[in-house]
């Protein structure tokens, strides 16, 4: 294989695939990038055995061929190359030359035949949306990560389903770690093909990688087939293997109709929470929310470090309540909400608390208290 | 004035007290089965050369008429607790150092109880009244001397080392009797030509430090009668565990897990007693070749549920590849936090929460067993009680 390619055409993708190739898997070859020559360009393939990426980039091909080369090495080399144009040439026995007139690297690749088969999906129905919108959905849901060794589908993956209804159909993603939940919706155009009714669970890890490739207003397509979730951009495709399992019934948890409704200034609340979580530690995570007449006081106690308290004015005329929460969960939500005012829906110290922006009802989070 | 109270041949004496037909006989606690070691030997048995830590087969050889009894830890703990409580009648500064030994600081109690000898007699009397057992008491101005003193006239002894007698006592005290001097230290001192604390006093301290490190300084201080350690009534517990040596080596995971389940219950009970929850669960295994390993897992949420402790220990066992048979298995818990810690609740029921909620079952089972006896209720799988497998 012998070809010339422009650094600016590939440097971005080389950086973004590191997430896939950097992940340790059972096959050492997944640390490699598969590069295959095409009539007027190259196809780059990367996988971590759960998610796979394929993209096409322009290049000048002199000799056809396919190579498998360490992704990190290739990225670092290309990143530091002084020139715009550089050459990739497989000289013999898997030794690959990379460079230009002045700089030359001689790298040993792996056998491309050993590279895991990349799934081909063929024809399928897909929904269309803006890359940015999907990216926001992903960001708001994958931030809720479960414990690394928790393999349960509903903790490890995000639930995706299509909501039909009287209004415009929308895509909904729900994510949880067992103690809190985030739900985000995105409207789709009226004419959209159907997605399976039951919904699907997509690994958070895979979605996180897709997110890296989504930017700006570019239209992208998403769909599902053969137990896989597919995201297609103009010249890049992501295929993620779905998780098997059930997602818990969350409909009851996201009801807004009960309890007290309390409005708060997002930034003031966020800053207070940040200050009150300074004394938290792995062992002493909780703080106590004291709801009183028109005032919310938060107290934090850590026998190893000390105590703190702070209060802010709110609009609240219900009875006094004392509820313990992990402040980190609130901080995450408040960072994701894009409005100035948030609304808390609270029932008592044993029921979950729902938080959302004042006007934007497309994103909400539910947080379970701690028991004192 | 510091006292050291040491129960005489404790386990054996408890057995003789509970079972009158054992009195006057050679009672040996432990050493039953083909692997046990002696926990305690009555004074009658000691005449045959039997002592603690001796392997059972050797004890049987030396004392063929000995009556070998399985230890009843629960009973010994019960008696010990009662003894410690009686000691506390005299002074709040009681420091239990083992199941049958305690230090007491009675400074300032002379007005109430009289001098060292009078206090010593009253304590011995009180203990005997409470549990019918004798103890040996040592009294001295400092801790280490009190401990040496209690050992000097066993059984049922009372030895006082007055302030004025300390120096003379130290002069001729053989180093082997000093707390902290074990086989290694003794060998080193012997090689240096040191036989008594008097010899230590005259020895250059720097060389002692070079040979024995920190302990060199300590033994020099002791040789001058200086021991600053105080009697500390409260010692913070840092871990709780339960382990046992199996009757037969095994690599049967199911058997080991059964043991672990029973140990999880014991450790959970201890955690409840200490009013703490634990963050770390430890699995301990000793192989047939005596090589020991420990594996641990730290949990995001502290627990004292026997179900969670067992689940983690079993998981650690599954993850560890048993290549050899195992002679000992144990479960431990550490990383204590106050049990009043707020606990994150789950949004959805079932799964994680259930194992944690088992703590309530633990408490109910324990209270039933307390009222109606251990056999009244237990987990089905432990029905035939690992007593069969354990030594």
């Amino acid at each position: 294989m012998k070809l010339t390619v422009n650094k600016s055409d590939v440097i971005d993708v080389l950086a973004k695939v590191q997430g896939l190739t950097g992940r340790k898997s059972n096959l050492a070859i997944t640390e490699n990038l598969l590069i295959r020559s095409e009539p007027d360009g190259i196809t780059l393939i990367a996988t971590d055995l759960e998610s796979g990426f394929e993209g096409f980039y322009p290049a000048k091909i002199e000799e056809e061929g396919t190579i498998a080369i360490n992704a990190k090495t290739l990225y670092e080399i290309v990143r530091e190359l002084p020139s715009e144009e550089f050459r990739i040439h497989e000289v013999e026995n898997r030794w690959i030359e990379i460079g230009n007139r002045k700089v030359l690297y001689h790298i040993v690749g792996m056998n491309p035949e050993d590279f895991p088969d990349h799934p081909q999906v063929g024809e399928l129905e897909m929904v269309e949306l803006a890359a940015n919108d999907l990216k926001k959905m992903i960001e708001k849901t994958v931030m809720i990560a479960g414990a690394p060794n928790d393999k349960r589908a509903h903790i490890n993956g995000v639930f995706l389903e299509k909501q039909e209804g009287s209004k415009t159909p929308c895509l909904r993603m729900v994510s949880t770690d067992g103690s809190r939940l985030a739900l985000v919706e995105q409207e789709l155009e009226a004419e959209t093909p159907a997605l399976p009714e039951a919904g699907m669970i997509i690994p958070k890890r895979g979605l996180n990688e897709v997110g890296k490739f989504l930017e700006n207003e570019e239209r992208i397509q998403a769909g599902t087939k053969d137990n896989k979730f597919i995201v297609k951009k103009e010249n890049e495709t992501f295929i993620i293997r779905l998780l098997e399992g059930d997602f818990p019934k969350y409909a009851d948890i996201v009801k807004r109709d009960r309890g007290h409704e309390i409005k708060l200034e997002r930034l003031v609340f966020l800053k207070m929470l940040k200050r009150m979580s300074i004394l938290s530690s792995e062992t002493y995570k909780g703080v106590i929310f004291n709801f009183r007449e028109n005032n919310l006081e938060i107290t934090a106690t850590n026998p190893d470090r000390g105590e703190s308290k702070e209060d802010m004015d709110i609009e609240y005329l219900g009875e006094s309540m004392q509820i313990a929460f992990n402040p980190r969960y609130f901080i995450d939500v408040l960072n994701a909400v894009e409005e100035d005012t948030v609304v808390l829906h609270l029932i008592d110290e044993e029921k979950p608390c729902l938080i959302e922006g004042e006007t934007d009802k497309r994103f909400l989070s539910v947080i379970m208290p701690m028991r004192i | 004035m510091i006292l050291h109270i040491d129960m005489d041949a404790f386990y054996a004496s408890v057995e003789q007290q509970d079972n009158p037909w054992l009195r006057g006989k050679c009672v040996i606690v432990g050493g039953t089965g083909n692997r046990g070691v002696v926990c305690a030997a009555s004074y009658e048995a000691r005449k045959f050369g039997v002592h603690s830590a001796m392997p059972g087969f050797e004890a049987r050889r030396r004392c063929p008429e000995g009556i070998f009894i399985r230890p009843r830890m629960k009973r010994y703990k019960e008696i010990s607790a009662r003894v410690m409580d009686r000691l506390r009648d005299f002074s709040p500064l009681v420091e239990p150092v083992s199941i049958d030994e305690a230090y007491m600081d009675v400074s300032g109690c002379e007005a109430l109880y009289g001098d060292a000898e009078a206090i010593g007699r009253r304590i011995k009397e009180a203990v005997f009244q409470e549990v019918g057992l004798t103890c040996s008491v040592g009294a001295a101005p400092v801790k280490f001397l009190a401990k040496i003193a209690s050992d000097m006239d066993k059984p049922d002894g009372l030895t006082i080392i007055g302030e004025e007698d300390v120096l003379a006592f130290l002069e001729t005290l053989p180093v082997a009797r000093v707390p902290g001097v074990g086989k290694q230290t003794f060998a080193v001192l012997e090689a240096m030509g040191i036989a008594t604390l008097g010899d230590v006093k005259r020895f250059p301290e720097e060389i002692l430090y070079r040979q024995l490190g920190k302990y060199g300084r300590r033994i020099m201080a002791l040789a001058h009668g200086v021991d600053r350690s105080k009697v500390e009534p409260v010692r913070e517990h840092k871990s709780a565990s339960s382990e046992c040596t199996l009757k037969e080596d095994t690599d049967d995971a199911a058997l080991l897990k059964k043991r672990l389940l029973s140990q999880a219950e014991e450790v959970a009970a201890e955690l409840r007693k200490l009013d703490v929850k634990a963050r770390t669960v430890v699995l301990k295994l000793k192989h047939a070749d005596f090589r020991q390993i420990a594996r641990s897992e730290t949990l995001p949420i502290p627990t004292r549920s026997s179900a969670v402790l067992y689940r983690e220990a079993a998981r650690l066992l599954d993850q560890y590849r048993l290549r050899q048979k195992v002679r000992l298995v144990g479960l431990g818990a550490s990383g204590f936090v106050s049990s009043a810690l707020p606990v994150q609740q789950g949004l959805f029921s079932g799964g994680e929460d259930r194992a944690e909620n088992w703590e309530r079952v633990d408490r109910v089972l324990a209270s039933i067993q307390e009222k109606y006896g251990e056999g009244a209720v237990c987990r089905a799988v432990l029905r035939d009680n690992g007593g069969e497998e354990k030594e």
Side-chain angles (χ1 to χ4, degrees):
Chain A
M1 173 209 239
K2 194 168 177 193
L3 54 93
T4 323
V5 61
N6 281 337
K7 179 172 166 177
S8 55
D9 284 335
V10 294
I11 188 62
D12 259 358
V13 62
L14 286 179
K16 289 173 185 169
V17 293
Q18 297 302 310
L20 281 176
T21 56
R23 183 183 175 194
K24 292 257 177 280
S25 81
N26 290 331
L27 294 178
I29 199 165
T30 62
E31 286 173 19
N32 285 241
L33 207 51
L34 191 73
I35 306 182
R36 190 176 61 213
S37 65
E38 309 288 356
D40 30 54
I42 45 172
T43 297
L44 258 52
I45 297 180
T47 179
D48 65 6
L49 300 181
E50 189 181 64
S51 315
F53 164 81
E54 183 177 324
F56 177 78
Y57 307 91
K60 255 195 320 235
I61 313 291
E62 282 177 60
E63 278 169 30
E64 292 175 7
T66 308
I67 57 164
I69 180 169
N70 184 289
K72 183 153 178 262
T73 310
L74 181 61
Y75 168 55
E76 286 176 347
I77 290 174
V78 174
R79 190 181 62 194
E80 305 301 329
L81 278 177
S83 63
E84 179 52 19
E85 232 182 43
F86 69 95
R87 208 177 50 173
I88 300 181
H89 181 195
E90 184 183 7
V91 282
E92 65 173 336
N93 244 353
R94 311 208 201 301
W95 280 91
I96 302 163
E97 251 180 32
I98 305 171
N100 58 16
R101 269 178 313 126
K102 296 249 174 113
V103 179
L104 197 62
Y105 290 88
H106 218 140
I107 311 291
V108 64
M110 288 181 82
N111 185 355
E113 309 270 308
D114 291 339
F115 206 83
D117 284 330
H118 191 66
Q120 294 302 311
V121 242
E123 286 300 309
L124 73 153
E125 293 185 333
M126 305 187 92
V127 300
E128 219 181 73
L129 64 160
N132 253 348
D133 288 339
L134 181 59
K135 185 175 180 135
K136 278 211 185 129
M137 288 182 87
I138 294 175
E139 280 170 358
K140 290 180 177 167
T141 46
V142 299
M143 71 174 174
I144 298 189
N149 54 356
D150 195 334
K151 297 277 176 266
R152 291 174 291 171
H154 70 278
I155 304 279
N156 232 352
V158 171
F159 185 62
L160 175 68
E161 63 179 351
K162 195 162 152 224
Q163 289 287 95
E164 303 281 6
S166 48
K167 341 161 266 174
T168 31
C170 54
L171 218 51
R172 173 191 281 190
M173 278 191 181
V174 185
S175 154
T176 182
D177 65 359
S179 311
R180 53 178 170 149
L181 175 150
L183 185 155
V184 62
E185 285 182 342
Q186 175 61 45
E187 290 115 7
L188 301 168
E189 276 141 34
E191 298 288 325
T192 47
L195 279 178
E197 285 215 357
M200 62 191 102
I201 304 183
I202 311 170
K204 286 176 185 170
R205 214 193 185 107
L207 273 182
N208 199 24
E209 295 306 321
V210 175
K212 293 179 187 170
F213 282 81
L214 301 169
E215 48 208 2
N216 57 51
E217 293 300 314
E218 187 184 343
R219 305 295 290 175
I220 57 120
Q221 293 171 308
T224 176
K225 188 170 178 186
D226 296 336
N227 261 348
K228 299 192 184 38
F229 177 65
I230 300 114
V231 177
K232 250 198 192 148
K233 283 171 65 179
E234 199 182 312
N235 57 341
E236 290 166 337
T237 309
F238 243 97
I239 302 180
I240 307 176
R241 193 155 35 99
L242 299 175
L243 293 176
E244 269 173 62
D246 295 316
F247 202 78
K249 304 267 171 282
Y250 63 88
D252 271 348
I253 299 175
V254 299
K255 286 209 182 107
R256 299 170 173 90
D257 52 3
R258 304 169 290 184
H260 310 276
E261 224 183 75
I262 306 172
K263 291 206 177 109
L264 295 140
E265 282 178 58
R266 183 184 77 91
L267 228 65
V268 177
F269 189 31
L270 174 59
K271 289 193 177 153
M272 177 163 85
L273 284 162
K274 280 190 179 164
R275 284 189 287 264
M276 289 302 101
S277 58
I278 290 175
L279 296 183
S280 301
S281 65
E282 190 51 38
T283 324
Y284 299 97
K285 288 186 204 175
V287 300
I288 307 209
F289 285 40
N290 283 291
F291 288 93
R292 311 181 287 210
E293 191 176 318
N294 288 329
N295 186 272
L296 165 62
E297 181 194 65
I298 297 187
T299 55
T301 309
N302 183 333
D304 294 337
R305 292 194 187 163
E307 308 165 339
S308 62
K309 79 172 174 206
E310 183 175 340
D311 69 276
M312 69 183 273
D313 292 322
I314 58 173
E315 269 176 41
Y316 179 65
L317 289 167
E319 40 179 66
S320 299
M321 279 194 293
Q322 253 199 6
I323 318 184
F325 281 109
N326 181 338
R328 184 102 297 280
Y329 294 168
F330 277 84
I331 292 173
D332 285 346
V333 180
L334 295 174
N335 275 330
V337 166
E338 293 160 31
E339 293 180 67
D340 291 334
T341 308
V342 295
V343 182
L344 255 60
H345 297 261
L346 272 167
I347 304 169
D348 61 33
E349 72 275 4
E350 287 179 4
K351 308 271 189 329
C353 165
L354 192 149
I355 318 164
E356 56 184 354
E358 191 180 15
T359 46
D360 183 357
K361 299 301 174 192
R362 294 176 306 166
F363 170 61
L364 64 88
S365 186
V366 180
I367 300 176
M368 197 63 186
M370 301 175 81
R371 189 176 56 206
I372 307 178
Chain B
M1 181 61 60
I2 313 282
L3 300 179
H4 184 254
I5 295 96
D6 195 332
M7 303 301 294
D8 300 326
F10 188 49
Y11 295 179
S13 305
V14 171
E15 296 300 340
Q16 286 175 321
Q17 171 72 349
D18 283 350
N19 306 300
W21 63 87
L22 292 175
R23 294 179 199 177
K25 304 242 179 32
C26 297
V27 173
I28 299 168
V29 180
T32 58
N34 58 340
R35 297 191 163 196
V37 289
V38 173
C39 296
S42 70
Y43 283 96
E44 297 83 356
R46 289 185 198 192
K47 293 206 185 87
F48 288 80
V50 178
H51 58 75
S52 314
M54 173 180 286
F57 66 83
E58 193 182 330
R60 276 191 286 282
R61 192 173 50 85
R62 290 181 186 231
C63 184
E65 285 147 30
I67 301 173
F68 286 76
I69 300 183
R70 278 232 181 114
R72 292 182 298 147
M73 285 315 298
K74 256 188 102 161
R75 177 66 175 153
Y76 310 146
K77 283 185 188 171
E78 189 196 319
I79 302 284
S80 170
R82 283 164 61 185
V83 168
M84 301 303 171
D85 278 343
R86 282 294 67 68
L87 295 183
R88 287 187 190 104
D89 289 342
F90 291 85
S91 161
L93 296 174
V94 173
E95 181 187 331
V97 283
S98 72
I99 199 172
D100 65 347
E101 279 175 55
Y103 284 102
M104 277 177 74
D105 190 339
V106 295
S107 318
C109 297
E110 293 86 352
L112 276 172
Y113 302 119
D115 63 6
E117 175 155 357
I119 298 180
R121 293 225 175 278
R122 289 179 75 143
I123 286 177
K124 285 161 67 77
E125 179 65 33
V127 171
F128 190 78
Q129 285 288 348
E130 176 67 34
V131 292
L133 301 173
T134 62
C135 60
S136 298
V137 175
V142 289
K143 253 176 152 181
F144 90 100
L145 281 175
K147 180 156 167 85
I148 295 175
S150 71
D151 210 25
M152 292 182 68
D153 191 23
K154 277 185 159 277
D156 199 16
L158 173 59
T159 312
I160 324 269
I161 304 176
E163 189 93 51
E164 24 352 302
D165 303 322
V166 167
L167 284 173
F169 181 76
L170 292 172
E171 180 61 40
T172 53
L173 181 67
V175 287
R177 311 194 71 172
V178 174
V181 176
K183 253 188 355 199
Q184 326 267 40
T185 310
F186 180 75
V188 172
L189 291 171
E190 199 182 35
M192 288 167 32
I194 296 175
T196 66
L197 276 189
D199 294 338
V200 171
K201 197 162 87 165
R202 286 180 285 276
F203 212 83
E205 187 175 342
E206 275 317 303
I207 304 185
L208 272 177
Y209 178 63
R210 236 186 290 146
Q211 294 294 334
L212 299 169
K214 247 169 57 172
Y215 189 73
R217 300 226 187 274
R218 172 141 175 92
I219 201 175
M220 178 55 88
L222 296 181
H224 284 87
V226 173
D227 176 8
R228 293 205 209 287
S229 46
K230 295 201 189 341
V231 173
E232 276 163 63
V234 182
R235 286 203 304 190
E236 215 187 283
H237 285 92
K238 300 211 179 93
S239 67
S241 63
S242 169
E243 62 182 46
C244 82
T245 300
L246 308 164
K247 211 154 97 167
E248 262 171 27
D249 293 354
T250 182
D251 54 8
D252 179 354
L255 207 72
L256 291 173
K257 282 183 184 176
K258 216 163 103 160
R259 282 273 90 236
L260 285 173
L261 183 56
S262 153
Q263 288 165 347
E265 288 185 344
E266 278 180 50
V267 173
E270 183 66 22
L271 295 178
R272 286 197 301 277
K273 196 168 100 169
L274 296 171
D275 199 23
V276 292
K277 289 192 176 172
R279 301 192 58 210
T280 305
V281 179
V282 184
L283 167 74
K284 177 173 165 185
L285 293 172
K286 193 192 279 186
H287 299 83
D289 66 0
F290 278 80
R291 196 174 49 95
Q292 203 170 288
I293 59 112
R295 294 285 179 269
S296 64
E297 181 76 42
T298 299
L299 309 168
I301 304 178
T303 186
R304 59 180 174 194
S305 147
S306 64
V308 176
L309 293 172
Y310 168 70
R311 184 192 66 204
E312 294 305 317
R315 196 182 290 180
L316 288 165
L317 183 64
D318 286 333
Q319 285 171 357
Y320 177 73
R321 271 175 294 158
L322 270 175
R323 277 190 219 114
Q324 225 193 93
K325 291 196 174 184
V326 147
R327 61 183 281 125
L328 173 148
V329 62
L331 186 153
S334 62
F336 290 170
V337 297
S338 157
S339 64
L341 210 56
V343 173
Q344 176 66 52
Q345 299 300 290
L347 273 176
F348 316 106
S349 49
E352 284 297 312
D353 280 343
R354 228 183 281 144
E356 184 51 41
N357 287 338
W358 191 268
E359 191 196 322
R360 287 194 224 157
V361 179
D362 284 336
R363 280 202 290 258
V364 172
L365 284 190
S367 68
I368 296 177
Q369 285 167 345
E370 210 180 289
K371 193 160 177 194
Y372 296 102
E374 277 203 18
V377 62
C378 71
R379 280 177 154 101
V381 68
L382 296 177
R383 197 178 29 220
D384 54 3
N385 194 6
E388 306 295 41
E389 280 82 34
K390 116 168 131 163
E391 197 38 79

